[in-house]
Amino acid sequence: MELIPAPRAIEGPKGPAAVPFGPGTTLWAGPGTERTERWLRATLGAALGLPLRPGPRDAPDGVRLLLDDTLEPEAYRLSAADRGVEIRGGGPAGVFWGAQTLRQLLGPDAFRRAPVRPDTALGVPHQVIEDAPRFGWRGLLLDVARHFMPKEGVLRYLDLMAAHKLNVLHLHLTDDQGWRIEIKRYPRLTEIASWRTRTKFGHRASPLWEEKPHGGYYTQDDIREIVAYAAERHIGVVPEIDVPGHSQAAIAAYPELGNTDVIDTTALSVWDTWGISSNVLAPTDATLRFYEGVFEEVLELFPADAAAFSEFVHIGGDECRKEQWTESVTAKTRITDLGLTDEDGLQSWFIGHFDAWLAARGRRLIGWDEILEGGLAPGAAVSSWRGYEGGVAAARAGHDVVMCPEQYVYLDHRQAPGEDEPVPIGFVRTLEDVYRFEPVPDGLTDEEARHVLGTQANVWTEVLEDTARVDYQTFPRLAAFAEVAWSPLPAPADRDYAGFERRMAAHYRRLDALGVAYRPPTGPRPWQKRPGVLGRPIEGPPPNR
């Protein structure tokens, strides 16, 4: 079968027999499967022009949804036989992932929003599919801070994630270049910090500028809608609010947050170029209180019980430049008062404060692997992005880890060598490279490896100015990543990439039906190129660390 991600086991089909799928097909949903029932009628039913009317459990050629506590929570068993199609899940999420497989079995037209061949006879071949994910955390980061993605784009990406059985959306909401979430007690964050006057086009060394304002933000109701839409698809949304670095946009709105004894923070604006700004938060009690106010509203908007891993809040913690702290009397005094050794310890103190603050409210902090510097906060989990080393160190210290090394799963990195790749950034990471990515590095004991919650692909948008560019960088590589995250694949060198390519031939038709502007296997289409826009390619293979 041409399924992506590949299931654990398929028995059949053994002949031409199939369960017919047509106007008379009924849908019976047992207790706990209501979300999948709604999704099947609203999405699959709309695509195929079928009402999927309620029917009895034993209706011939019907679809049945039910929970089965003998299965793991996200596992499912899809059986197509004489009695119809039955999807059993260990939990509600398992039933939903089984429904995603059913959609693939019905062909690419099942991925459209309205029927294009309403009279076509459809059927699900008689077979049994047993499946369960390898990892719990199967994530995608969308950077909406550098280039804003309107709400409809985020909802669309949640649908694309669901189609690939991904279950965590890491929403990068704040950075030097923009603040994208409404915080009612601090209105200047959206009045000022949510937009910039112009934008660097290409890498920061590029001479090109887009000379028009760029901005946008999600209202609190927008966020509630995104979270609810994700939860209907058994996807948890993890918000990222960056501290203490990557904070120039916030300082531009509230200058007292910056190191006022070093620079004139009232002269700062939202940053219009790329890189790592030296304008970081001041380590003061007033700054802590300000961000506690931010996080109080964030926790209300992102409830801990919405879906898988919704208890996590990402605080960034990466790339915090220390030059201003080394010059700041306020920072030096804080280091002395706390008995710290240096500025790294000050960053650790900053992160530790919010680790304790979040833990006291039943939430979990996660940050980039720089939060290891100066000592890791007791309850913190780590997003390991600078290779495997940070994740390995955290796992060995008993902390949970999400593996997302930039050398392998940063999807803003270029997909091929050559001048045709638009705004080439980083290492060449082909579809095959992503397919051979292994989230659990050698050298971890079984106990340490259990701290690897899963893996995540990251889509940073400095050079991705619109949704078409996001699509191009993300797909088709996200399909390969989804299989790595879901399927129990052999060691990287032993993976059947040729078989994956054959299955991708069918999957491209699904992506076409979904309207995804992916990179074709033959290279970019003319309108996907960006001739003359400077990138930052890195030659040679990425370091294996």
Side-chain angles (χ1 to χ4, degrees):
M1 300 301 295
E2 298 166 325
L3 299 175
I4 290 179
R8 289 179 179 256
I10 302 177
E11 181 183 335
K14 297 178 179 178
V19 177
F21 216 85
T25 300
T26 59
L27 176 60
W28 178 86
T33 68
E34 293 83 6
R35 287 179 174 177
T36 301
E37 178 187 18
R38 287 193 292 270
W39 181 87
L40 281 169
R41 289 205 177 95
T43 302
L44 193 61
L48 301 175
L50 303 178
L52 298 179
R53 296 183 180 88
R57 178 172 178 173
D58 59 354
D61 299 331
V63 177
R64 299 182 296 280
L65 310 175
L66 63 156
L67 300 183
D68 183 340
D69 61 10
T70 67
L71 301 173
E72 293 297 313
E74 287 194 282
Y76 69 88
R77 182 177 188 272
L78 187 155
S79 174
D82 291 334
R83 295 181 55 249
V85 176
E86 179 178 276
I87 301 174
R88 292 176 175 264
V95 176
F96 184 72
W97 305 133
Q100 299 306 313
T101 297
L102 173 63
R103 188 188 197 186
Q104 292 196 19
L105 293 172
L106 287 166
D109 286 348
F111 290 79
R112 297 190 177 274
R113 295 192 179 187
V116 295
R117 297 173 183 84
D119 298 325
T120 300
L122 297 171
V124 181
H126 284 192
Q127 63 195 302
V128 177
I129 299 173
E130 303 269 2
D131 204 5
R134 178 186 178 191
F135 292 108
W137 186 302
R138 305 179 302 281
L140 174 68
L141 177 144
L142 282 179
D143 171 22
V144 298
R146 270 57 174 269
H147 277 102
F148 180 63
M149 179 180 285
K151 179 193 68 177
E152 287 301 318
V154 177
L155 299 180
R156 173 177 175 264
Y157 259 83
L158 287 166
D159 282 329
L160 292 172
M161 290 176 65
H164 292 84
K165 300 185 173 73
L166 300 175
N167 69 337
V168 179
L169 173 63
H170 177 169
L171 204 54
H172 182 250
L173 289 164
T174 74
D175 215 293
D176 299 308
Q177 296 86 4
W179 183 285
R180 306 297 179 211
I181 179 172
E182 178 187 25
I183 302 297
K184 290 187 179 296
R185 74 186 70 186
Y186 304 128
R188 289 168 63 88
L189 290 173
T190 45
E191 293 169 2
I192 294 174
S194 70
W195 68 277
R196 57 183 180 264
T197 57
R198 64 175 187 169
T199 298
K200 176 68 72 172
F201 191 41
H203 182 248
R204 61 180 177 271
S206 167
L208 304 176
W209 293 89
E210 186 178 41
E211 297 285 355
K212 67 178 183 180
H214 176 87
Y217 66 90
Y218 308 110
T219 68
Q220 294 203 349
D221 281 347
D222 289 339
I223 293 291
R224 292 185 180 98
E225 181 181 357
I226 288 168
V227 170
Y229 195 87
E232 278 288 299
R233 287 146 184 80
H234 299 279
I235 297 172
V237 184
V238 174
E240 179 175 349
I241 307 293
D242 270 299
V243 296
H246 286 290
S247 298
Q248 183 168 325
I251 297 169
Y254 291 91
E256 64 272 20
L257 296 174
N259 294 286
T260 57
D261 59 347
V262 177
I263 65 163
D264 178 11
T265 56
T266 63
L268 293 177
S269 59
V270 178
W271 216 20
D272 58 10
T273 190
W274 316 123
I276 307 171
S277 172
S278 60
N279 294 300
V280 303
L281 298 175
T284 65
D285 289 342
T287 300
L288 296 180
R289 300 293 88 76
F290 181 96
Y291 275 87
E292 286 172 1
V294 169
F295 283 119
E296 282 176 5
E297 295 192 28
V298 167
L299 297 192
E300 188 273 326
L301 295 170
F302 296 87
D305 59 353
F309 301 105
S310 295
E311 71 273 19
F312 282 93
V313 175
H314 208 292
I315 52 73
D318 62 312
E319 298 178 327
C320 179
R321 292 174 60 172
K322 310 296 198 304
E323 300 97 310
Q324 291 183 1
W325 285 357
T326 62
E327 299 177 26
S328 167
V329 173
T330 299
K332 291 177 185 294
T333 302
R334 178 68 84 176
I335 290 171
T336 301
D337 291 347
L338 293 171
L340 303 174
T341 302
D342 54 19
E343 287 77 17
D344 283 345
L346 191 59
Q347 176 170 335
S348 179
W349 164 80
F350 207 109
I351 300 301
H353 174 86
F354 287 104
D355 179 65
W357 189 91
L358 288 166
R361 289 154 181 80
R363 306 301 284 268
R364 293 191 65 187
L365 179 148
I366 185 168
W368 302 108
D369 54 56
E370 285 96 331
I371 68 173
L372 289 158
E373 298 166 5
L376 191 57
V382 170
S383 299
S384 188
W385 76 273
R386 296 180 297 178
Y388 289 112
E389 290 178 351
V392 169
R396 286 177 174 165
H399 290 265
D400 289 337
V401 178
V402 176
M403 286 293 186
C404 49
E406 65 169 331
Q407 303 93 325
Y408 303 98
V409 289
Y410 268 35
L411 301 186
D412 52 317
H413 282 211
R414 56 196 173 131
Q415 303 188 61
E419 296 181 357
D420 284 345
E421 288 304 307
V423 199
I425 297 293
F427 297 101
V428 172
R429 294 288 83 193
T430 65
L431 183 65
E432 181 174 359
D433 290 330
V434 175
Y435 190 68
R436 297 192 189 279
F437 164 61
E438 173 49 49
V440 181
D442 293 336
L444 292 179
T445 67
D446 289 344
E447 179 61 30
E448 292 164 350
R450 278 193 281 273
H451 283 290
V452 179
L453 299 176
T455 184
Q456 180 172 290
N458 295 344
V459 182
W460 301 102
T461 63
E462 289 95 331
V463 300
L464 311 184
E465 73 275 10
D466 56 33
T467 301
R469 283 286 289 122
V470 174
D471 277 9
Y472 179 91
Q473 292 299 135
T474 304
F475 289 97
R477 292 182 296 181
L478 192 68
F481 172 81
E483 186 148 310
V484 168
W486 178 277
S487 306
L489 299 176
D494 299 328
R495 293 177 186 172
D496 182 11
Y497 180 68
F500 175 76
E501 278 193 305
R502 285 192 297 273
R503 287 182 285 122
M504 278 302 299
H507 200 65
Y508 285 121
R509 296 177 62 203
R510 299 175 191 134
L511 296 179
D512 287 333
L514 288 164
V516 176
Y518 59 84
R519 180 190 189 274
T522 54
R525 297 179 171 95
W527 58 88
Q528 292 174 322
K529 301 175 184 179
R530 296 291 186 275
V533 181
L534 188 66
R536 184 183 57 87
I538 303 175
E539 302 303 330
N544 185 21
R545 60 174 176 81

